[in-house]
Amino acid sequence: MSGLFDLAGRTAVVTGARRGIGRAMAVALAAAGADIIGVSATLESSGSAVEHEVRALGRRFVGIACDFADRGAVVALGERLAGDPVDILVNNAGTILRAPAAEHPLEWFDRVVEINLASQFVLTQAVGRGMIERGGGKVIFTASLLTFQGGVTVPGYAAAKSGIGGLTKALANEWSPLGVNVNAIAPGYIATDNTQALREDENRSSAILSRIPAGRWGRPDDLAGATVFLASAASDYVDGVVLPVDGGWLGR
């Protein structure tokens, strides 16, 4: 049974790998045997914390910096990665900007949608072509609870993450018959930089915790098992799924 989760000999690209959820995903995949290409806007080409963790597990690591708000840079990244046999693509790069919808700057909306949705398709299209040609591959998007809900003061983020749910299903419909599994993970409220403002707001933090049956904020490492599952042979018959890892939030 353990062989179902063995990623030895696989190469995984993880975007947003410098910290938080992406870093935890990269380390989890490395622990399962995969070599890692980490990508983030400010990722060091060498010497990063995630590189040290991956190499400590005996796996290879390549670090690439890419601004996902820059369409040209993402296209260039896709062309670069298209030359390598990428087995697993984890689309985790993202951002969030908070302001009430009536005053939400249009440039904020555009930036969030570009980073969290459009760039995800641009990169997946480029890498996915190689997976289709080889007849196999795993694509994992990072969705959100706001793939299912609307949120408050984050219209761009909610729109983009809802779009990720639709994109996951659309690509799965086309690529599953070609041997490429496309799925998504929807993290709950995880203690990362993106949720720092919520955790520091005593009222919001208390309201959030009161709804989580698990009784705590999630940790980036809580995403490890779902990531390895969706990247491995254990999920070969799983397609178009948005898998919540949320401490029970959506079931409340």
Side-chain angles (χ1 to χ4, degrees):
M1 179 65 72
S2 61
L4 284 175
F5 301 94
D6 184 6
L7 300 179
R10 308 288 179 85
T11 296
V13 172
V14 182
T15 70
R18 185 173 180 269
R19 59 188 182 179
I21 290 173
R23 177 173 164 181
M25 288 173 156
V27 172
L29 294 172
D35 294 320
I36 305 298
I37 300 174
V39 187
S40 283
T42 58
L43 184 64
E44 304 92 328
S45 59
S46 64
S48 66
V50 64
E51 176 180 0
H52 286 308
E53 289 187 85
V54 168
R55 291 193 183 279
L57 292 165
R59 309 313 311 164
R60 293 188 298 110
F61 182 89
V62 175
I64 301 173
C66 179
D67 181 359
F68 286 88
D70 181 341
R71 178 69 63 86
V74 178
V75 170
L77 174 64
E79 292 173 349
R80 175 177 177 177
L81 294 176
D84 297 321
V86 174
D87 304 293
I88 302 157
L89 173 61
V90 180
N91 288 298
N92 174 72
T95 191
I96 190 166
L97 295 170
R98 303 177 187 277
E103 293 88 34
H104 203 85
L106 295 182
E107 59 269 24
W108 283 20
F109 187 92
D110 290 343
R111 177 178 175 81
V112 170
V113 171
E114 181 67 30
I115 293 173
N116 291 16
L117 180 59
S119 72
Q120 312 296 313
F121 176 69
V122 171
L123 185 59
T124 303
Q125 183 185 58
V127 174
R129 291 189 186 110
M131 292 179 173
I132 291 168
E133 290 172 2
R134 294 189 300 275
K138 301 281 187 174
V139 176
I140 304 168
F141 290 97
T142 297
S144 168
L145 292 181
L146 300 196
T147 303
F148 308 98
Q149 301 173 331
V152 178
T153 74
V154 286
Y157 187 86
K161 291 301 186 179
S162 293
I164 286 295
L167 182 59
T168 297
K169 295 176 175 64
L171 295 181
N173 289 342
E174 291 192 40
W175 292 0
S176 297
L178 305 175
V180 180
N181 299 102
V182 184
N183 294 288
I185 298 171
Y189 283 92
I190 310 296
T192 66
D193 291 350
N194 276 354
T195 61
Q196 184 174 351
L198 296 178
R199 287 180 286 118
E200 291 177 348
D201 183 326
E202 185 176 341
N203 291 331
R204 287 282 283 136
S205 182
S206 176
I208 288 167
L209 281 172
S210 70
R211 179 171 165 168
I212 301 174
R216 65 172 175 85
W217 285 78
R219 298 181 294 267
D221 288 348
D222 288 323
L223 283 299
T227 303
V228 173
F229 167 63
L230 292 177
S232 71
S235 63
D236 281 352
Y237 198 58
V238 178
D239 297 280
V241 165
V242 180
L243 174 63
V245 181
D246 64 355
W249 173 278
L250 289 173
R252 187 61 178 263

